Amino acid sequence: MCLKWFKELGNQENKMKVTVDTNFLISATQWDYSVAHKLLKNFILSDAEIFTTQDILDETIEVLERDFEYSKDEAKNIIEKILLFAKLIEPKQKVEIIKDDPDDNKVIECAIESSSDYIITYDMHLLRLKEYKGIKIVKPEEILKEF
């Protein structure tokens, strides 16, 4: 771990701000040894600010129930745990940047509202942008290299 970077994160003024999407949350919560899980642990330990929205969490519940066969209560329990480390915000600004999958715009809206430095995702529609209004859009593997 880069100690200089870690010390900077401890400084309130330099706290990293990240927006996470459903892909990241699923990977981080369902596979203990995934890159997303390791990155999430690093974010928590470094006191990074992690942002999400109700729309992103609702989509996460839907995926947990549909693809992982969790009951509604089990999925809600996972969301409660996510909310222990993630800040729930409500974006005021709507954007229409991603035409191929307009649902992905909610992630950009969250990042704008939270003034995030990064969007962490595996979603190809988002990753193709690479950056939006100074917000870097990266895979967990790319940012984990900085730790």
Side-chain angles (χ1 to χ4, degrees), residues 54-88:
Q54 191 59 55
D55 285 344
I56 293 169
L57 294 179
D58 289 346
E59 183 179 58
T60 303
I61 288 172
E62 183 182 316
V63 172
L64 288 168
E65 291 175 358
R66 182 191 65 221
D67 298 348
F68 295 88
E69 299 181 359
Y70 282 99
S71 69
K72 272 201 185 315
D73 287 342
E74 290 169 328
K76 285 181 181 177
N77 189 354
I78 291 169
I79 297 303
E80 286 173 13
K81 288 182 171 82
I82 289 170
L83 288 172
L84 293 174
F85 58 79
K87 295 178 182 180
L88 190 61

Side-chain angles (χ1 to χ4, degrees), residues 49-128:
E49 291 184 273
I50 304 167
F51 296 95
T52 192
T53 66
Q54 191 59 55
D55 285 344
I56 293 169
L57 294 179
D58 289 346
E59 183 179 58
T60 303
I61 288 172
E62 183 182 316
V63 172
L64 288 168
E65 291 175 358
R66 182 191 65 221
D67 298 348
F68 295 88
E69 299 181 359
Y70 282 99
S71 69
K72 272 201 185 315
D73 287 342
E74 290 169 328
K76 285 181 181 177
N77 189 354
I78 291 169
I79 297 303
E80 286 173 13
K81 288 182 171 82
I82 289 170
L83 288 172
L84 293 174
F85 58 79
K87 295 178 182 180
L88 190 61
I89 63 166
E90 188 174 328
K92 293 173 185 69
Q93 180 182 351
K94 293 288 183 197
V95 298
E96 294 182 16
I97 306 305
I98 302 185
K99 306 292 186 204
D100 292 341
D101 190 358
D103 220 26
D104 289 337
N105 287 311
K106 66 182 165 237
V107 179
I108 297 171
E109 294 164 359
C110 180
I112 292 168
E113 186 69 30
S114 62
S115 300
S116 285
D117 303 303
Y118 293 92
I119 292 173
I120 313 299
T121 185
Y122 286 110
D123 186 284
M124 290 313 297
H125 298 107
L126 289 165
L127 289 167
R128 272 189 222 116

Side-chain angles (χ1 to χ4, degrees), residues 1-17 45-49 117-118 146-147:
M1 185 180 303
C2 178
L3 291 177
K4 179 181 177 225
W5 186 84
F6 186 79
K7 286 178 187 174
E8 287 175 3
L9 282 177
N11 179 347
Q12 288 289 98
E13 295 172 17
N14 293 324
K15 238 185 211 189
M16 180 184 274
K17 293 180 177 184
L45 290 172
S46 67
D47 205 27
E49 291 184 273
D117 303 303
Y118 293 92
E146 294 189 30
F147 280 91

